[in-house]
Amino acid sequence: AGARARAQAGARTVTGSERVKALGSGAVLGGGQASSSSVSMASMVGLESKNRSNTNMSENRNDIRNDTRLLPRVTNKSAASSANTNHNTNNNTNNTVNNVNNANRNANNNAKFSVNKTDNSNNFTATEPLFRSTVVAHLAHHQAYVSTCRFVEDQPHLMLTASGDSNCILHDVNTQKPIRVFQDHTGDVMCLEHIRGTTTFVSASTDCTALLWDWREKNPRVMTFLGHESDINDITLLPDKSRFVTASEDTSARLFDTRSCRQLQIFTDIKDVCSWSSVSASSSGRVIFTGSEERIHAFDTHTGHLIQNLDAHSGRVTSLRLQPHGYALASGSWDSTVRLWVAN
């Protein structure tokens, strides 16, 4: 009896809230106490669900409050609908203004170039003159016709010209004065090519020679290349900048090397005895094309062998140029046509 009295005095009733806290903290209560408690498992689940619902509602209120910072505060559904409509209208108006501004900006950019496509065909219409009609430089230092003019690519204020007066001239376009005159040819200078990135260029003449010049040197003529037996009509540089090819009235083209100062190859076609008036090289330098009377020849620069003949025109082929990627060849002729040849 005394032990029972002490046990009852030390015992304490566990309330429902304490039971919930104990469960939430991971405590384990006796099964008898759990079954006799006034808080059942269903009520615990309901309480947890109610707490989660209250938390979600609080988060939703925060989200709504954050969103309404961007819009005017509204009091009813019709006002909210009106505000959303106005907001969308403003966005559409802003987009329209931006599109118009972009269109005007693009139109201004296109107008700078003054040439626009008129339709989906290959026809172009000039809306304004491409260049000013006022001459900004007048270079009148030759005494005969000018056969070639070339800008110095890495120094655009400099220009090289060749003439029938047997001279080449280096001009300063800004001052319109000659910087240097090159006078060692004894015939009309028909063509020249500047070697990019250097102060050197190659010229060819009706005196059957090609000359390499350096305008820094006291004696600018650096090398003389012989071999042709008649007028040299055209010249082209190979991509390595150390070799060049000439086309001549002697029905041949020749490959020269500026490093060894000698001729490397001669290209001929025994079936073509007409003068050769033009030459062009592929972007790799492996193939060259020469133009003669009515025909185009293709040669391998490594072997010198003829690769192909094209019966191209009804007159002399005076100009040849390959498209930069090598996909097409353009030829111009005395027959008043330009023709394009597409690679296989």
Side-chain angles (χ1 to χ4, degrees), residues 160-210:
L160 288 162
T161 57
S163 171
D165 62 7
S166 304
N167 297 333
C168 300
I169 299 179
L170 176 66
H171 306 263
D172 188 321
V173 176
N174 292 336
T175 64
Q176 303 184 43
K177 295 180 180 179
I179 297 174
R180 193 156 193 180
V181 180
F182 309 91
Q183 299 178 320
D184 286 351
H185 279 296
T186 58
D188 297 11
V189 184
M190 302 303 296
C191 49
L192 63 79
E193 290 291 341
H194 171 246
I195 300 175
R196 186 173 184 175
T198 71
T199 56
T200 60
F201 68 96
V202 183
S203 62
S205 169
T206 57
D207 62 10
C208 309
T209 66

Side-chain angles (χ1 to χ4, degrees), residues 6-120:
R6 286 193 299 272
Q8 290 176 351
R12 186 171 61 87
T13 302
V14 180
T15 65
S17 60
E18 289 175 335
R19 187 180 299 277
V20 171
K21 291 181 180 178
L23 287 174
S25 62
V28 179
L29 300 179
Q33 291 178 348
S35 61
S36 63
S37 171
S38 62
V39 180
S40 63
M41 183 63 68
S43 64
M44 296 178 198
V45 174
L47 180 61
E48 183 179 358
S49 175
K50 182 177 181 180
N51 291 335
R52 186 181 300 113
S53 176
N54 291 336
T55 302
N56 291 337
M57 289 177 65
S58 176
E59 292 176 353
N60 291 337
R61 289 194 193 97
N62 290 333
D63 291 341
I64 294 172
R65 190 178 300 112
N66 291 333
D67 288 342
T68 56
R69 291 174 187 173
L70 303 178
L71 297 174
R73 189 175 298 277
V74 296
T75 57
N76 53 49
K77 292 184 178 180
S78 61
S81 176
S82 176
N84 290 333
T85 302
N86 292 335
H87 184 64
N88 293 333
T89 302
N90 291 335
N91 287 338
N92 293 335
T93 303
N94 292 333
N95 291 335
T96 302
V97 172
N98 290 334
N99 291 336
V100 171
N101 291 336
N102 290 333
N104 291 337
R105 191 179 300 111
N106 293 334
N108 291 334
N109 290 335
N110 290 335
K112 293 178 182 178
F113 297 95
S114 304
V115 175
N116 300 317
K117 257 192 175 181
T118 57
D119 51 27
N120 293 327

Side-chain angles (χ1 to χ4, degrees), residues 108-138:
N108 291 334
N109 290 335
N110 290 335
K112 293 178 182 178
F113 297 95
S114 304
V115 175
N116 300 317
K117 257 192 175 181
T118 57
D119 51 27
N120 293 327
S121 67
N122 293 325
N123 297 323
F124 288 83
T125 301
T127 58
E128 296 178 5
L130 290 175
F131 297 97
R132 300 176 184 175
S133 58
T134 304
V135 176
V136 297
H138 188 74

